[in-house]
Amino acid sequence: MEKQKDRQFVLPKNIRQMGSFGDTYKIYVEDFVYTYVHQFLHRKKEEKEVIAAVLLGEVIQRDGQEYVFVSGAQKVNFRISEEGEPEEDAAARQQEFWGNVYQGIKEYFSDREILGWYINLDGSGLEINRQLQQFFEATYGKGSRFLYYEDSLEKLDAFFVQEQHVLQRIS
């Protein structure tokens, strides 16, 4: 049975490999998703707006290697918490945020799982700050393992993977 599964494993068409992490992960992104995050999400960016999307797809394991296929992206309204925000407000905002994320997944991507996030922070130089690391740790339990991080101002982008509680850049 396992050999039959291996024979059926073929890379999908219209994808691009976006990174690998040693012999552990190989990350592929469908061209549609790449186009969506690089063209459509950037069209109406407001000042100080954080462009973000949940990345969806599937993970296939073969011979100790994980093949990550990102085949969907859903824009989300994202706001970094402000210092001193009351906990009740933050909890209510978080509940509303996840309600919107799950509603969109149910409506458009019901056959896919959450893999991670796309976030664009212009001028960041792809530095992982404390707030971004905290956000990622808070979403880790909901399935997110990868971050596709972009700084369109400096024309940089990279994938990160959560390893040993730290976001590490993937080559």
Side-chain angles (χ1 to χ4, degrees), residues 42-83:
H42 291 179
R43 284 194 177 157
K44 296 180 181 176
K45 187 173 180 180
E46 303 287 328
E47 187 177 333
K48 297 194 180 202
E49 178 184 11
V50 176
I51 301 293
V54 62
L55 299 176
L56 304 149
E58 67 179 323
V59 177
I60 297 174
Q61 296 186 352
R62 292 288 186 265
D63 301 323
Q65 177 84 50
E66 285 192 26
Y67 296 89
V68 179
F69 297 102
V70 179
S71 57
Q74 175 191 329
K75 183 179 181 188
V76 295
N77 294 323
F78 185 81
R79 183 181 74 127
I80 295 175
S81 298
E82 299 189 19
E83 295 293 326

Side-chain angles (χ1 to χ4, degrees), residues 64-163:
Q65 177 84 50
E66 285 192 26
Y67 296 89
V68 179
F69 297 102
V70 179
S71 57
Q74 175 191 329
K75 183 179 181 188
V76 295
N77 294 323
F78 185 81
R79 183 181 74 127
I80 295 175
S81 298
E82 299 189 19
E83 295 293 326
E85 179 180 25
E87 260 186 61
E88 312 82 55
D89 293 352
R93 199 167 42 86
Q94 187 177 48
Q95 185 175 2
E96 179 184 356
F97 173 81
W98 280 108
N100 291 336
V101 167
Y102 288 133
Q103 179 61 36
I105 291 171
K106 181 180 175 185
E107 189 171 340
Y108 300 109
F109 302 105
S110 61
D111 60 336
R112 297 181 184 123
E113 63 183 281
I114 294 175
L115 298 176
W117 298 90
Y118 165 83
I119 294 180
N120 181 323
L121 293 173
D122 287 342
S124 67
L126 302 184
E127 293 294 320
I128 303 295
N129 63 29
R130 182 181 56 82
Q131 287 177 313
L132 189 55
Q133 181 68 48
Q134 286 175 338
F135 167 78
F136 202 82
E137 287 175 8
T139 64
Y140 189 75
K142 299 195 186 299
S144 65
R145 297 171 29 201
F146 301 96
L147 170 66
Y148 182 26
Y149 194 15
E150 182 181 23
D151 178 343
S152 56
L153 187 65
E154 296 187 29
K155 298 191 181 344
L156 299 170
D157 67 342
F159 262 89
F160 291 77
V161 64
Q162 180 87 344
E163 288 289 330

